[in-house]
Amino acid sequence: MTARIPASWRAELETCYMRCARDVNRHVFFLTRGDRELTEDVAQEAFRAAAGNWEQLRSFSETRQVAWLCRTATHIAVDHFRRNETARRKQAEVLRLHYQRPAADTLHEALTEVTLEHCWKVIERMPPQQHLVALLRWRCGYQNREISRMLGMAEGTVSAHVSAARRTLRSEAGSYLPFGADDLEGGNSDD
């Protein structure tokens, strides 16, 4: 059974919802690849979590509240993808279509698919903050500046997480990484 929300917080929660809902829904819509129903469910769950943590969140700035909600929504969406095998298969297909280099032949396509699957498994095993930054960077396509704003962490910290994730991927998956090739090969990470 969930604890009741004090009446004095209801107006604050409604204000938070009015200020943050657009940003959170946009973030979740991108994560769910345009699945409106799932977007609604994940965003609603994130705001429910905010209500449960409102004693702490009420002192946050609007920017930090949005970052907290987006981070929570990301975790909820990732949990959904892990639980839902159909969504998992769709996710792999979307990732393959969006991030692989043009297939020169069947062998190249097969190797790309195997490497891509391995890369995502490596990313899943990364430490929590690095894992979250890697997902936002290479799965969702956000730039370091955007990730910094969403997570409420310094841009240099985000850059350090991206660099560490890149090194881990190179050491565990090899030099050919089938997504974000320029970024992963040492190019400017915020073009």
Side-chain angles (χ1 to χ4, degrees):
M1 183 173 166
T2 358
R4 292 184 53 80
I5 298 168
S8 61
W9 291 358
R10 288 189 184 144
E12 293 175 13
L13 283 163
E14 286 177 20
T15 301
C16 173
Y17 178 80
M18 297 302 288
R19 283 189 325 231
C20 304
R22 190 184 75 213
D23 291 334
V24 173
N25 279 305
R26 187 177 353 184
H27 172 75
V28 175
F29 189 73
F30 187 77
L31 285 175
T32 63
R33 301 289 184 202
D35 183 328
R36 290 181 190 278
E37 189 175 306
L38 180 56
T39 296
E40 196 173 290
D41 290 346
V42 170
Q44 182 179 30
E45 190 66 32
F47 278 102
R48 188 176 301 131
N53 291 283
W54 191 247
E55 186 170 6
Q56 174 190 4
L57 292 174
R58 67 192 302 231
S59 65
F60 287 9
S61 68
E62 180 181 341
T63 304
R64 282 191 68 202
Q65 286 177 352
V66 170
W68 189 95
L69 284 159
C70 287
R71 185 172 51 248
T72 300
T74 298
H75 290 297
I76 292 166
V78 168
D79 287 345
H80 170 80
F81 285 125
R82 286 182 177 153
R83 284 190 313 265
N84 186 325
E85 193 57 38
T86 303
R88 190 178 191 71
R89 283 194 301 272
K90 285 182 182 176
Q91 179 188 21
E93 180 63 17
V94 167
L95 293 173
R96 187 180 66 75
L97 290 173
H98 281 28
Y99 296 116
Q100 82 177 25
R101 293 179 177 166
D105 57 28
T106 307
L107 176 62
H108 175 77
E109 188 173 331
L111 290 173
T112 298
E113 197 164 323
V114 168
T115 304
L116 182 61
E117 187 176 321
H118 181 66
C119 286
W120 292 119
K121 286 179 182 175
V122 169
I123 288 172
E124 283 184 22
R125 292 191 314 263
M126 290 178 179
Q129 289 294 318
Q130 190 177 337
H131 171 254
L132 182 57
V133 168
L135 284 177
L136 291 171
R137 179 76 181 139
W138 294 312
R139 179 173 181 267
C140 301
Y142 288 112
Q143 298 299 319
N144 290 359
R145 190 174 305 106
E146 297 167 308
I147 296 169
S148 169
R149 194 176 66 244
M150 274 189 278
L151 300 182
M153 70 174 59
E155 196 171 338
T157 304
V158 171
S159 183
H161 283 308
V162 169
S163 294
R166 183 184 300 121
R167 281 191 304 275
T168 301
L169 282 170
R170 281 191 178 138
S171 71
E172 292 193 33
S175 60
Y176 172 65
L177 300 169
F179 55 87
D182 292 338
D183 182 37
L184 289 167
E185 290 170 2
N188 185 352
S189 63
D190 264 333
D191 289 338

